[in-house]
Amino acid sequence: MRSGILIIIYICLMLAACESAQLATVPPSPQPIQITIPPFLTPITNGVHACAEEHDQIAILLNTSSSFQQDIGAENLSIWWGETQDLGSYAIPIAQDELKIIIHPDNPNNMLSLEQIRAIFSGQVDNWSNISDYQTPIEIWLYPEGNDLGQMFNTELFAGSRFSTLAHIAPTSESMVTAIANNKGAIGFALRSWLEDNVTRVQIKTDTELNLQKPILAITTSEPQGGLRTLM
């Protein structure tokens, strides 16, 4: 009789434990959000991750693409620098960045006119001594053909003219900055977020208004909802 009572008590405890397990709250799975970013905006990825870490309901999946992604999906996000074509997208400015012409720190030509810049990048001027006392051959650095940053530079500063065919090619913004820092006659360009004290930023003398500072945009196909809205 006593053993029967113990068995009944044991069964009741087991049922209660099962019921408690069923009632336990299961934490929701984080919402995956795919973020597409061009390689030249890589410096902002730390900020994106830091923002996502403040919201445990979001899981960030980063990938890079060298061109603006039109079909990004309602639950995904594309980050871009500068204006995009009117694609019916929903865009929020999240930061600012500026295109800067850069030279080696030993180069004293930290102020150039727009005409001098065009003459240099077209190859019409091949030595810094043609515009100053700095006796050093000019070494032009560009990005590969079709690179978005190069196209923006061409549009904003170069007026669609042809670059020198003798220019060196830097595949990335990081390699561009490294090349300029290691060559005393070098000149190139990159976004300000990539720059440190190993290169000198050139000021441009011009009466023309230049649009070199542009917003960094977080773009979706429609007004964001849920975790994506929280992130933006």
Side-chain angles (χ1 to χ4, degrees):
M1 181 69 177
R2 183 178 179 183
S3 60
I5 293 173
L6 292 175
I7 291 173
I8 292 173
I9 294 174
Y10 177 76
I11 293 174
C12 291
L13 291 173
M14 289 294 293
L15 291 173
C18 290
E19 183 177 358
S20 299
Q22 292 175 354
L23 293 176
T25 302
V26 178
S29 300
Q31 177 187 347
I33 297 176
Q34 180 172 290
I35 299 180
T36 303
I37 186 169
F40 58 80
L41 286 181
T42 301
I44 75 166
T45 55
N46 289 338
V48 173
H49 281 299
C51 183
E53 288 174 358
E54 298 177 2
H55 308 284
D56 54 10
Q57 73 273 29
I58 300 172
I60 295 297
L61 306 173
L62 275 177
N63 67 65
T64 58
S65 175
S66 59
S67 60
F68 177 68
Q69 300 296 299
Q70 299 184 21
D71 186 19
I72 56 178
E75 298 301 320
N76 297 323
L77 185 68
S78 184
I79 295 179
W80 194 251
W81 177 71
E83 298 79 9
T84 61
Q85 296 178 351
D86 184 11
L87 303 173
S89 302
Y90 184 91
I92 295 178
I94 58 175
Q96 293 276 338
D97 212 340
E98 185 177 5
L99 187 65
K100 302 294 291 186
I101 293 176
I102 52 177
I103 56 176
H104 190 275
D106 288 352
N107 191 335
N109 295 284
N110 60 358
M111 183 173 291
L112 297 171
S113 69
L114 194 55
E115 291 73 22
Q116 288 172 328
I117 290 169
R118 290 171 178 169
I120 289 170
F121 278 96
S122 65
Q124 298 174 37
V125 175
D126 61 3
N127 197 296
W128 289 104
S129 62
N130 293 327
I131 58 176
S132 71
D133 294 331
Y134 191 54
Q135 298 280 346
T136 307
I138 294 175
E139 190 173 290
I140 304 167
W141 282 85
L142 302 173
Y143 295 101
E145 187 176 355
N147 178 276
D148 288 285
L149 205 56
Q151 291 178 349
M152 293 175 188
F153 176 85
N154 198 349
T155 300
E156 298 293 343
L157 284 176
F158 215 57
S161 301
R162 295 181 64 85
F163 291 119
S164 170
T165 57
L166 300 178
H168 301 267
I169 301 299
T172 65
S173 296
E174 183 177 15
S175 59
M176 171 69 78
V177 174
T178 299
I180 305 303
N182 291 335
N183 295 276
K184 292 190 174 184
I187 185 170
F189 54 94
L191 290 181
R192 183 179 54 200
S193 55
W194 283 97
L195 307 182
E196 298 181 0
D197 293 337
N198 58 344
V199 294
T200 295
R201 300 154 179 79
V202 173
Q203 297 182 45
I204 303 173
K205 297 183 294 183
T206 179
D207 295 329
T208 305
E209 184 176 352
L210 300 175
N211 186 23
L212 301 181
Q213 181 167 293
K214 299 177 184 290
I216 297 176
L217 302 174
I219 304 168
T220 64
T221 54
S222 59
E223 185 171 354
Q225 304 295 328
L228 187 57
R229 185 180 184 87
T230 300
L231 179 63
M232 294 179 71

